[in-house]
Every structure is written in structure tokens, then in C-alpha cells.
Amino acid sequence: MFLRCFISLLSICAAAVVMASGADGRVAASGRTGVYLLEEGCPWSAVNVYLWDAGNANKEYLGPWPGCAAGLMSIDGVRYFHVSVETSDVMIKPMIIFNGDGVSGDFDFVGNGIY
């Protein structure tokens, strides 16, 4: 497995991902994808992103808790906390949590999703 967690200042268009569901319900993800959290309305000045696969023995993708520190980026004047994810794994039920001075709920992971 090849996995990198790094803060990226790329635009959404530059982060490409291919996702497909198989007959067994697994989601194959390849390439690089992003995680975006709107800064507006976020109660934290710094955000970590924790990503795991609940369908694969809770495998962690951005390091152990609390996850990877997100960077800030701006797209068309809108600011986002952002982390890039790259993996060749087949994810069964990828989940995500945002945390800073508190913890969000569990969300289903969507490649290049905005939360």
C-alpha cells in the first residue's frame, strides 16, 4: 500500500480521483483525492482530519488519532481546510472525523467532498 498524507495548495480540479463500486459493495479509490472543510462556520482555528475504513478493521489512512493537520486554501474567495489523500487501497466503508478544539461526528468519506 502506498499512502501519503500531505497538505496541498492545489485546486479542486487538480486533485483527480477514480472511484468505482464493485458488485461486492467495495469502493476502489486510486489516485489523489482531497478532503475539504469550509472554514466559515467552523468553530476551530486549526483542524485535524482522521480517515479510516470502518469496513476494513478500522484501517487508518491519515495516521493515528487525531489524524493529519489540515492546511488552509482559498478557491474563488472561499476558504477551506484541506488535506490530500493518496492510496491504492480498496475502501469498503471509509469514514472521516474532523477535530480541533472539539470533535465532529462521523461522516461517510466522499472523495473531493466538501463538508
Side-chain angles (χ1 to χ4, degrees):
M1 177 193 82
F2 176 71
L3 173 68
R4 290 188 309 191
C5 170
F6 56 93
I7 300 169
S8 174
L9 297 177
L10 301 173
S11 70
I12 291 174
C13 296
V17 67
V18 176
M19 298 185 82
S21 294
D24 61 0
R26 294 176 182 229
V27 177
S30 63
R32 187 181 333 169
T33 186
V35 176
Y36 300 86
L37 175 65
L38 284 167
E39 181 188 36
E40 183 178 338
C42 181
W44 312 312
S45 59
V47 172
N48 289 319
V49 180
Y50 181 72
L51 175 65
W52 79 101
D53 189 348
N56 185 14
N58 293 322
K59 184 174 183 176
E60 298 171 320
Y61 286 89
L62 297 174
W65 182 262
C68 183
L72 275 171
M73 65 182 302
S74 182
I75 301 172
D76 295 329
V78 179
R79 291 174 49 94
Y80 301 91
F81 291 101
H82 176 257
V83 171
S84 290
V85 180
E86 187 170 344
T87 184
S88 59
D89 282 2
V90 174
M91 296 179 175
I92 299 167
K93 185 168 176 46
M95 303 293 293
I96 194 166
I97 293 176
F98 300 98
N99 58 91
D101 293 332
V103 179
S104 73
D106 298 359
F107 296 100
D108 291 328
F109 172 71
V110 176
N112 289 328
I114 298 174
Y115 297 85

